[in-house]
C-alpha cells in the first residue's frame, strides 16, 4: 500500500477507535444521566445544575422535587423523608428564572415518576423579566430529545476528564441529599461578615409604580408555572417565599420599589392560591429569622438551619397562607417589621 | 461554520470530499465546480443566511464590472470603470465596516449627534472584497479576460479561504479550478494536507484558545495585574494571534491540499524574522502581496525617489491598520509598524551602501549569529507592544497596559491568570507526577504553555515545513490521529457558572 495512503488510513483508524471508546464510555457511565439511570457502583460527581438536572429529572427515581434558586440549595432531602415521608430530589438552579423552572418541570413531569409534591421557592425579583429568559444559556443538547446534537456530550473533554476519569481516580460519590449545597461553611454566617460585604444601593428618587411588575409576573406565572400546576392536579405544589434578611428590604426601600414589591407578592399569592393543589408558605415576615443577621452569609442567603425550619413548616403548616386576606395580613406584618426595624443602628456599627 | 466544529469535521467535510472526488472521478468538471460553490454557500450561510445575500450581491456587482472591463472601448473608459468598481467595493466595505467609526469621529470633532447604526460586519467581507478588487485590477491589466461565471464565483467563495484568507490571486486559483478533473488523486498530497489540517487545528484549538483565555482574563482585569503579569500578557497575545491566524491558514491550506488545490502560504515562521521588513515577508504574506501589487507599485513603489517610497510605505501601513479594524488603535498599530518599517528600509539602504564600499575595499561582513538573535528578540518585543494596540479596545486601554508593564507593581504573579492555562488533561499529568502539591504548581502549566508557544513560534520548523517532511510512518500517523482526537474533544466544554448570586 502507498505509504501515505497507509498513513491516512492508520490516522483515521486511530481517530475512529479513540472517539468510539470515548463515546462508548460516556454512554456507559452517562455522568449527566442523559441516556439512563446511574449505575449503583459508579462514584458519580454531581455538581453542575445546568448539565445534570435534566438527566436526573428524567432518569432518577423520586416522588417529590425541590425547585428554586440558591435559596433552596441548602435543603437536605433526608429531612423531607423524616418529616414528610417523601423520597425527594433536589433540582435547583441557583439564580433561576421562571423559565428555568419550566424547563426542569417539563422533564420532571415527562419522567415515569409519580410526583406527589413539588417544593418551589419563588424569588419575586426573578419574575419581572421576560418569559423566555433563562439565567444562563442552557446546554440545549441535554434538554431536548433529539440525538442529532449528542456529539457535544459524547465527545466532550470536560465530560470525559472531569465527570468520568476524575471520579474514577478520586472516587467520592456525591451525596444527593445535600447536592449543590452552598460553599459557605458555618463561620460565614454572622452579622460581621454580612455587614462587611454589604453595600447598600444608591437611593433612587422616583418611586416605581405599584403595578409596574404585575404584567411580567402574571405572564411568567401563566407561561412558566401555572400550566404545570393545572396539568398535574394530583401533585401538591408547596410554593414558598424565602426569608431574605432585613437588608434585602433595605435595598427595596433604597431603590424605591416597596409598593411594587408588596403588590407583586400579593399578586403571586392570589394567582397561586387559585389552585386547589397549591399550598403557599410565606417566610419573609419571620422576624426572628430576618432581623438576625447571624442567620445569613449575605443579604439574602440564609443558613441551612433555616432550611430545616422551613421543612418543618411544610410538615406542620406553620407560616402557611391559605387566602388572599391572610396574605394581606402577612404583608402588613412585613411592613410593620420593616418600619420598626432600626436600620440606623445597624449601619452605625463598625464592620 | 468553523473548521474546528463537529459539523465541519463529521458532516460537512466528509460530504465535501466524497461529493467532490466522485464528480472528479466521473470527469464532471462543471459539476465539481458547482458542487464546491454549493458547499461554500452552505459553509458561509451557516453563520448567518443574510451574509450570503451580501456576498452574492458583491459577486454579481463585481462580475458585471469584470465583464465590462473585459471589453475595453478605450483606456479612459477602462480607467473610469475600474475607478467606479473599486469605489463601489470600498463603498460597500466602508458602509459595513467603517460607517460607525466615521460617524463617531465626525460627532466627536464637530459635536454633532449623527446616529450610529451598529451594523454587524459580515464575516470575511474584507477578504472577499479585496480579492475581487485584485481580480478587477488584473482584468484591467489584461491578465484575465472573460472569465466564466462558475470559476469566478468559486474563486471568490471557495470555502477554505473565504472567511479569513489567504487572499488568493486569480492567477493561482483559476487554472486549478479549470483542471480539476485532469489531476489524479494523490495520496501523498492528501495525507500531507490532512497532517497540515490537524497541525493547524492543534494551533488553533489547543494553543491559541488557551492563550486566548489568559489574554481575555488579563484585558478584562487590568486593574489587578502587576508588572510581570502585564509583560506576560503582551507575550501571550503575540502567541495567541500567531497560533490563531496561522493555525486557521494551515487548516485552510490542508483542506485545499486534500481537495488537490494549492492555496498560497500566508505565514512563514514570522517570529523568526530578524527585522520588520523580514517580518512582513512572513506574516500575512498574501495581504502584503496584495498591497504591494495593487497599491505600492501603482503608487510608484521605489521608482520615484526615496522620499516618495517612504511615503508610500507609510500610507500602506496606515491602510493596513484600517483594513484590520475600524478604530484609532488599529491605525496606531499600523503606524507603529510603518514607522519601524521605514526606518529599517532606510537603515538597510545605508547598510547596502556601506556594504558596497566594503566590497570595493575587499572586505566582507555579515551580521553575527548572536546579533541575529538579539534582533529577533527585540523585534518580537516591538511587535508585541504594537499588538497591544491591535488587541485593546481603545488606545487608552493599550496605553494603560503598557504603563503597567513599565511601571506596574512588582507583585506575585496573578494566580487567576495562571489558572486560565489549567488544561485539565495536563493538570492530571502534574498530579500523576506529584507536581501538583508544589508551592507554585499553579504556575507550572502557564510557563509550560509559554515555553511550548515560544519554542514552536521561534525555534521549530513551521507546520507546513513539517507537513512537507513527514514520511508516512505509522508512529506519525498514530500521533496525528491522537492530536486530532484531542482537538475534537476540546471543541465542546461544560459550562460552569458561579451559582451564588441571583
Amino acid at each position: 500500500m502507498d505509504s501515505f495512503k497507509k498513513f491516512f488510513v492508520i490516522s483515521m483508524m486511530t481517530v475512529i477507535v479513540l472517539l468510539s471508546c470515548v463515546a462508548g464510555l460516556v454512554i456507559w457511565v452517562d455522568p449527566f444521566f442523559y441516556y439512563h439511570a446511574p449505575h449503583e457502583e459508579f462514584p458519580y460527581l454531581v455538581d453542575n445544575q445546568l448539565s445534570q438536572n435534566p438527566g436526573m429529572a428524567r432518569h432518577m427515581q423520586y416522588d417529590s422535587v425541590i425547585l428554586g434558586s440558591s435559596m433552596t440549595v441548602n435543603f437536605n432531602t433526608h429531612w423531607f423523608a423524616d418529616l414528610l415521608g417523601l423520597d425527594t430530589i433536589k433540582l435547583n438552579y441557583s439564580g433561576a428564572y421562571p423559565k428555568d423552572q419550566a424547563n426542569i418541570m417539563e422533564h420532571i413531569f415527562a419522567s415515569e415518576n409519580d410526583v406527589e409534591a413539588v417544593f418551589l421557592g419563588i424569588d419575586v425579583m426573578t419574575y419581572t423579566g421576560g418569559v423566555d429568559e433563562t439565567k444562563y444559556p442552557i446546554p440545549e443538547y441535554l434538554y431536548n430529545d433529539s440525538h442529532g446534537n449528542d456529539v457535544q456530550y459524547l465527545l466532550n473533554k470536560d465530560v470525559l476528564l472531569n465527570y468520568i476519569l476524575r471520579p474514577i481516580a478520586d472516587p467520592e460519590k456525591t451525596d444527593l441529599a445535600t447536592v449543590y449545597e452552598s460553599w459557605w461553611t458555618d463561620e460565614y454566617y454572622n452579622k460581621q461578615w454580612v455587614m462587611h460585604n454589604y453595600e447598600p444601593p444608591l437611593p433612587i428618587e422616583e418611586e416605581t409604580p405599584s403595578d409596574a411588575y404585575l404584567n411580567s409576573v402574571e405572564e411568567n406565572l401563566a407561561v412558566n408555572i401555572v400550566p404545570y400546576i393545572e396539568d398535574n392536579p394530583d401533585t401538591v405544589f408547596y410554593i414558598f417565599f424565602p426569608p431574605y434578611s432585613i437588608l434585602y428590604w433595605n435595598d427595596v426601600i433604597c431603590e424605591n420599589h416597596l409598593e411594587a414589591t408588596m403588590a407583586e407578592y400579593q399578586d403571586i399569592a392570589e394567582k397561586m392560591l387559585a389552585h386547589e393543589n397549591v399550598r403557599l408558605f410565606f417566610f419573609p415576615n419571620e422576624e426572628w429569622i430576618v432581623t438576625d443577621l447571624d442567620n445569613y452569609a449575605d443579604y439574602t442567603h440564609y443558613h441551612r438551619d433555616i432550611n430545616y425550619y422551613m421543612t418543618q413548616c411544610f410538615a406542620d403548616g406553620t407560616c402557611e397562607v391559605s387566602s388572599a386576606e391572610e396574605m394581606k395580613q402577612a404583608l402588613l406584618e412585613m411592613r410593620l417589621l420593616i418600619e420598626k426595624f432600626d436600620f440606623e443602628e445597624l449601619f452605625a456599627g463598625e464592620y | 461554520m468553523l473548521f474546528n466544529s463537529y459539523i465541519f469535521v463529521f458532516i460537512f467535510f466528509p460530504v465535501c470530499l466524497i461529493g467532490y472526488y466522485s464528480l472528479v472521478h466521473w470527469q464532471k468538471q462543471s459539476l465539481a465546480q458547482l458542487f464546491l460553490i454549493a458547499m461554500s454557500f452552505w459553509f458561509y450561510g451557516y453563520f448567518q443566511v443574510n451574509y450570503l445575500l451580501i456576498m452574492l450581491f458583491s459577486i454579481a456587482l463585481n462580475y458585471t464590472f469584470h465583464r465590462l472591463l473585459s471589453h475595453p472601448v478605450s483606456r479612459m473608459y477602462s480607467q473610469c470603470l475600474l475607478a467606479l468598481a473599486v469605489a463601489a467595493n470600498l463603498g460597500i466595505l466602508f458602509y459595513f465596516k467603517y460607517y460607525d467609526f466615521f460617524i463617531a469621529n465626525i460627532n466627536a470633532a464637530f459635536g454633532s449627534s449623527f446616529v450610529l447604526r451598529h451594523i454587524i460586519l459580515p464575516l470575511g467581507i474584507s477578504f472577499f472584497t479585496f480579492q475581487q478588487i485584485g481580480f478587477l485590477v488584473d482584468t484591467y491589466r489584461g491578465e484575465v479576460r472573460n472569465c466564466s461565471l462558475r470559476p469566478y464565483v468559486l474563486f471568490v467563495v471557495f470555502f477554505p479561504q473565504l472567511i479569513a484568507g489567504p487572499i488568493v490571486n486569480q492567477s493561482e486559483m483559476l487554472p486549478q479550478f479549470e483542471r480539476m478533473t485532469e489531476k489524479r488523486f494523490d495520496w501523498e498530497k492528501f495525507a500531507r494536507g490532512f497532517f497540515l489540517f490537524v497541525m493547524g487545528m492543534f494551533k488553533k484549538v489547543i494553543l491559541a484558545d488557551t492563550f486566548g483565555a489568559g489574554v481575555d482574563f488579563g484585558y478584562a482585569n487590568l486593574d489587578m495585574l502587576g508588572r510581570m503579569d502585564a509583560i506576560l500578557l503582551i507575550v501571550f497575545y503575540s502567541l495567541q494571534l500567531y497560533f490563531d491566524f496561522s493555525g486557521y491558514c494551515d487548516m485552510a491550506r490542508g483542506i485545499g491540499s486534500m481537495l488537490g488545490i494549492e492555496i498560497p502560504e500566508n505565514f512563514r515562521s514570522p517570529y523568526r524574522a530578524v527585522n520588520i521588513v523580514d517580518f512582513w515577508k512572513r506574516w500575512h504574506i498574501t495581504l502584503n502581496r496584495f498591497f504591494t501589487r495593487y497599491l505600492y507599485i501603482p503608487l510608484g513603489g521605489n521608482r520615484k525617489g526615496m522620499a516618495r517610497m517612504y511615503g508610500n510605505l507609510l500610507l500602506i501601513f496606515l491602510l493596513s491598520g484600517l483594513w484590520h479594524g475600524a478604530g484609532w488603535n488599529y491605525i496606531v498599530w499600523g503606524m507603529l509598524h510603518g514607522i519601524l518599517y521605514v526606518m529599517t528600509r532606510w537603515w538597510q539602504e545605508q547598510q547596502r551602501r556601506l556594504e558596497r564600499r566594503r566590497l570595493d575595499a575587499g572586505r566582507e561582513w555579515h551580521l553575527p549569529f548572536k546579533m541575529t538573535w538579539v534582533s529577533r528578540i527585540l523585534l518580537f518585543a516591538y511587535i508585541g507592544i504594537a499588538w497591544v494596540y491591535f488587541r485593546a479596545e481603545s488606545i487608552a486601554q493599550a496605553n494603560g497596559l503598557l504603563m503597567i508593564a513599565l511601571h506596574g507593581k512588582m507583585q506575585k504573579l496573578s494566580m487567576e491568570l495562571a489558572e486560565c492555562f489549567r488544561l485539565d488533561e495536563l493538570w492530571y499529568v502534574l498530579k500523576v507526577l506529584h507536581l501538583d502539591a508544589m508551592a507554585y504548581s499553579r504556575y507550572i502549566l502557564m510557563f509550560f504553555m509559554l515555553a511550548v508557544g515560544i519554542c514552536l513560534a521561534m525555534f521549530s520548523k513551521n507546520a507546513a515545513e513539517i507537513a512537507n517532511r513527514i514520511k508516512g510512518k505509522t508512529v506519525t500517523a498514530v500521533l496525528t490521529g491522537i492530536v486530532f482526537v484531542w482537538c475534537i474533544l476540546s471543541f465542546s466544554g461544560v459550562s460552569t457558572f458561579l451559582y451564588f448570586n441571583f
Side-chain angles (χ1 to χ4, degrees):
Chain A
M1 195 194 286
D2 181 321
S3 70
F4 284 98
K5 182 178 179 183
K6 196 172 132 198
F7 173 90
F8 182 71
V9 170
I10 292 173
S11 285
M12 276 296 109
M13 281 171 61
T14 308
V15 170
I16 290 165
V17 168
L18 289 178
L19 290 183
S20 303
C21 287
V22 172
L25 195 60
V26 172
I27 291 171
W28 184 76
V29 174
D30 195 13
F32 293 172
F33 322 106
Y34 182 67
Y35 297 110
H36 55 75
H39 298 290
E40 196 53 49
E41 69 277 15
F42 191 85
Y44 288 95
L45 170 70
V46 181
D47 67 354
N48 195 305
Q49 299 165 335
L50 279 178
S51 297
Q52 291 175 299
N53 277 359
M56 285 162 67
R58 260 200 309 267
H59 291 117
M60 287 193 176
Q61 286 187 341
Y62 51 87
D63 61 20
S64 54
V65 292
I66 300 168
L67 305 182
S69 66
S70 51
M71 296 298 136
T72 62
V73 294
N74 285 338
F75 280 114
N76 183 321
T77 59
H78 292 319
W79 303 336
F80 289 76
D82 295 343
L83 298 171
L84 292 142
L86 292 170
D87 179 10
T88 311
I89 190 171
K90 289 166 73 174
L91 297 171
N92 0 57
Y93 288 85
S94 296
Y97 290 170
K99 178 66 180 172
D100 291 304
Q101 314 297 5
N103 283 341
I104 196 64
M105 282 199 277
E106 199 64 43
H107 291 283
I108 292 164
F109 291 113
S111 76
E112 289 173 4
N113 292 299
D114 188 9
V115 184
E116 284 181 37
V118 170
F119 297 88
L120 171 63
I122 287 192
D123 299 296
V124 286
M125 64 287 264
T126 63
Y127 281 67
T128 55
V131 291
D132 292 321
E133 279 179 45
T134 54
K135 175 73 177 178
Y136 302 110
I138 57 168
E140 295 283 352
Y141 57 93
L142 296 169
Y143 280 74
N144 56 35
D145 292 330
S146 155
H147 291 300
N149 51 10
D150 287 6
V151 66
Q152 293 177 70
Y153 176 46
L154 297 175
L155 303 178
N156 185 318
K157 194 174 75 177
D158 284 350
V159 172
L160 177 69
L161 295 177
N162 291 325
Y163 292 93
I164 296 180
L165 299 185
R166 190 171 126 199
I168 290 172
D170 189 10
E172 197 181 333
K173 195 170 183 171
T174 302
D175 179 2
L176 292 183
T178 54
V179 67
Y180 306 142
E181 206 170 42
S182 153
W183 61 271
W184 282 308
T185 44
D186 283 353
E187 61 268 24
Y188 286 96
Y189 292 87
N190 65 75
K191 184 178 177 180
Q192 179 70 26
W193 169 259
V194 173
M195 290 307 293
H196 179 72
N197 291 298
Y198 176 69
E199 260 190 55
L202 291 175
I204 293 173
E205 268 186 38
E206 195 183 341
E207 187 180 4
T208 305
S210 61
D211 60 352
Y213 301 145
L214 299 186
N215 278 346
S216 306
V217 166
E218 285 172 17
E219 248 189 294
N220 262 305
L221 290 174
V223 173
N224 290 316
I225 307 294
V226 169
Y228 300 96
I229 297 174
E230 288 180 344
D231 292 348
N232 298 282
D234 296 333
T235 303
V236 179
F237 285 78
Y238 291 77
I239 291 176
F240 58 95
F241 297 110
Y244 312 130
S245 85
I246 195 72
L247 291 174
Y248 166 76
W249 292 100
N250 185 56
D251 280 16
V252 170
I253 293 163
C254 287
E255 289 165 353
N256 221 344
H257 58 100
L258 179 65
E259 293 310 319
T261 303
M262 290 290 177
E264 190 184 351
Y265 270 110
Q266 183 68 34
D267 193 37
I268 293 173
E270 286 179 16
K271 294 287 178 296
M272 293 294 94
L273 288 168
H275 304 276
E276 281 186 2
N277 55 335
V278 167
R279 291 183 65 187
L280 189 73
F281 292 79
F282 188 77
F283 296 108
N285 62 346
E286 288 293 276
E287 188 171 355
W288 67 274
I289 301 175
V290 301
T291 57
D292 181 359
L293 293 179
D294 288 338
N295 288 323
Y296 293 85
D298 70 4
Y299 78 124
T300 51
H301 292 90
Y302 38 81
H303 190 270
R304 57 186 59 75
D305 288 350
I306 307 302
N307 292 78
Y308 182 70
Y309 169 72
M310 291 159 77
T311 317
Q312 287 177 313
C313 293
F314 297 144
D316 64 22
T318 312
C319 295
E320 184 166 1
V321 174
S322 307
S323 66
E325 285 309 310
E326 281 184 31
M327 186 65 191
K328 277 184 190 157
Q329 182 58 34
L331 289 174
L332 191 62
E333 287 168 21
M334 187 75 242
R335 278 177 195 277
L336 291 173
L337 194 160
I338 298 165
E339 277 168 23
K340 76 174 188 198
F341 186 80
D342 193 344
F343 285 101
E344 274 182 27
E345 191 203 331
L346 178 68
F347 292 120
E350 286 278 323
Y351 303 103
Chain B
M1 196 182 298
L2 296 171
F3 295 153
N4 51 312
S5 63
Y6 296 113
I7 187 164
F8 183 85
V9 169
F10 292 123
I11 297 174
F12 180 89
F13 197 47
V15 168
C16 185
L17 281 175
I18 293 166
Y20 173 70
Y21 277 114
S22 302
L23 293 168
V24 167
H25 177 74
W26 293 321
Q27 297 289 305
K28 304 287 183 191
Q29 163 95 1
S30 308
L31 282 178
Q33 289 178 349
L34 279 174
F35 178 74
L36 285 183
I37 290 170
M39 293 302 285
S40 299
F41 283 162
W42 177 18
F43 180 85
Y44 191 72
Y46 190 80
F47 287 113
Q48 175 75 260
V49 178
N50 293 346
Y51 292 167
L52 200 55
L53 297 176
I54 294 163
M55 190 174 71
L56 286 173
F57 173 76
S58 171
I59 290 171
L61 183 76
N62 281 297
Y63 188 68
T64 308
F65 278 123
H66 164 71
R67 298 302 294 198
L68 292 172
L69 280 166
S70 294
H71 304 284
V73 178
S74 67
R75 189 172 163 76
M76 182 67 131
Y77 164 83
S78 296
Q79 280 176 340
C80 290
L81 203 56
L82 180 65
L84 183 66
V86 172
N89 274 293
L90 294 180
I92 293 170
L93 194 59
F94 175 85
Y95 177 75
F96 284 106
K97 192 165 180 174
Y98 303 105
Y99 180 84
D100 275 5
F101 175 61
F102 179 72
I103 293 296
N105 280 295
I106 293 282
N107 286 346
F110 301 107
S112 53
S113 52
F114 294 112
V115 181
L116 301 182
R117 296 201 171 179
H118 303 294
I119 302 158
I120 297 169
L121 185 68
L123 280 165
I125 190 168
S126 304
F127 286 96
F128 67 70
T129 302
F130 266 37
Q131 206 161 293
Q132 292 186 100
I133 289 174
F135 190 91
L136 291 177
V137 176
D138 287 354
T139 310
Y140 167 80
R141 290 173 178 170
E143 292 172 23
V144 57
R145 285 275 158 85
N146 294 320
C147 178
S148 310
L149 181 60
R150 214 173 35 244
Y152 177 77
V153 176
L154 186 53
F155 164 72
V156 179
V157 304
F158 186 46
F159 70 88
Q161 35 95 147
L162 174 59
I163 306 297
I167 300 171
V168 293
N169 186 267
Q170 50 80 24
S171 63
E172 59 206 0
M173 300 309 284
L174 290 182
Q176 297 194 79
F177 295 150
E178 299 293 358
R179 290 200 303 270
M180 282 171 168
T181 50
E182 290 172 23
K183 285 187 278 185
R184 289 189 55 201
F185 180 79
D186 182 347
W187 271 110
E188 181 176 342
K189 205 171 183 180
F190 188 86
R192 291 193 194 284
F194 172 69
F195 181 86
L196 187 57
F197 176 73
V198 174
M199 289 299 103
M201 190 174 277
F202 174 77
K203 283 160 77 174
K204 163 73 186 126
V205 175
I206 307 296
L207 296 176
D209 288 354
T210 306
F211 282 114
V215 169
D216 289 347
F217 171 82
Y219 273 88
N221 297 282
L222 287 183
D223 296 348
M224 58 182 282
L225 300 185
R227 192 184 300 179
M228 289 311 295
D229 297 318
I231 292 169
L232 280 175
L233 190 59
I234 293 169
V235 178
F236 292 158
Y237 184 62
S238 299
L239 294 173
Q240 181 202 351
L241 194 62
Y242 169 60
F243 289 127
D244 194 286
F245 199 2
S246 72
Y248 187 92
C249 289
D250 288 338
M251 285 192 272
R253 294 187 75 209
I255 291 164
S257 198
M258 280 192 271
L259 292 167
I261 291 167
E262 204 80 50
I263 292 175
E265 187 180 27
N266 214 17
F267 288 87
R268 196 183 303 133
S269 306
Y271 290 145
R272 298 179 71 181
V274 290
N275 59 51
I276 192 94
V277 177
D278 189 18
F279 176 81
W280 279 103
K281 287 176 184 162
R282 295 161 173 267
W283 180 281
H284 209 167
I285 297 167
T286 55
L287 178 69
N288 199 22
R289 181 180 72 173
F290 178 91
F291 278 125
T292 306
R293 193 178 289 181
Y294 301 113
L295 194 61
Y296 178 68
I297 292 172
L299 284 172
N302 59 3
R303 302 185 308 275
K304 299 192 174 173
M306 300 305 278
R308 176 77 178 265
M309 181 185 83
Y310 295 140
N312 289 342
L313 288 170
L314 282 175
L315 177 67
I316 282 169
F317 278 101
L318 173 74
L319 293 175
S320 175
L322 267 177
W323 182 84
H324 282 91
W328 285 102
N329 50 321
Y330 290 102
I331 293 173
V332 171
W333 168 79
M335 291 323 292
L336 281 172
H337 275 262
I339 289 165
L340 186 64
Y341 196 97
V342 165
M343 285 165 63
T344 309
R345 285 290 294 264
W346 177 84
W347 172 254
Q348 285 178 326
E349 192 54 39
Q350 306 309 311
Q351 288 298 109
R352 227 168 274 140
R353 285 182 193 164
L354 265 174
E355 193 98 347
R356 254 179 257 136
R357 275 187 229 148
R358 282 199 197 100
L359 281 174
D360 290 345
R363 283 178 286 139
E364 252 186 279
W365 184 83
H366 293 291
L367 202 60
F369 175 77
K370 280 180 189 164
M371 284 302 289
T372 309
W373 273 102
V374 170
S375 53
R376 232 170 236 168
I377 291 164
L378 287 176
L379 179 70
F380 183 71
Y382 184 87
I383 285 170
I385 290 167
W387 286 140
V388 172
Y389 289 91
F390 194 88
R391 168 61 176 79
E393 282 157 21
S394 64
I395 292 174
Q397 191 190 37
N399 290 340
L401 175 59
L402 292 175
M403 288 308 287
I404 298 170
L406 280 174
H407 301 295
K409 270 193 287 183
M410 288 301 285
Q411 61 188 38
K412 195 175 154 195
L413 284 173
S414 162
M415 188 69 86
E416 289 89 344
L417 181 63
E419 279 290 313
C420 300
F421 291 81
R422 213 189 100 155
L423 288 179
D424 285 327
E425 56 273 41
L426 300 181
W427 180 249
Y428 287 133
V429 175
L430 291 191
K431 274 184 100 79
V432 170
L433 298 173
H434 299 292
L435 294 173
D436 61 312
M438 286 169 60
Y440 294 100
S441 62
R442 301 276 168 181
Y443 296 111
I444 293 175
L445 289 182
M446 181 171 79
F447 284 109
F448 173 75
M449 291 300 288
L450 180 64
V452 169
I454 286 181
C455 284
L456 289 177
M458 297 187 83
F459 296 98
S460 148
K461 288 189 166 30
N462 63 43
E465 287 169 330
I466 298 170
N468 286 332
R469 290 164 69 101
I470 57 161
K471 297 215 162 44
K473 288 181 183 165
T474 305
V475 180
T476 320
V478 171
L479 284 175
T480 308
I482 291 171
V483 172
F484 194 26
V485 169
W486 185 8
C487 294
I488 290 171
L489 293 180
S490 302
F491 288 172
S492 182
V494 175
S495 303
T496 48
F497 299 96
L498 285 175
Y499 285 128
F500 305 103
N501 301 317
F502 268 112

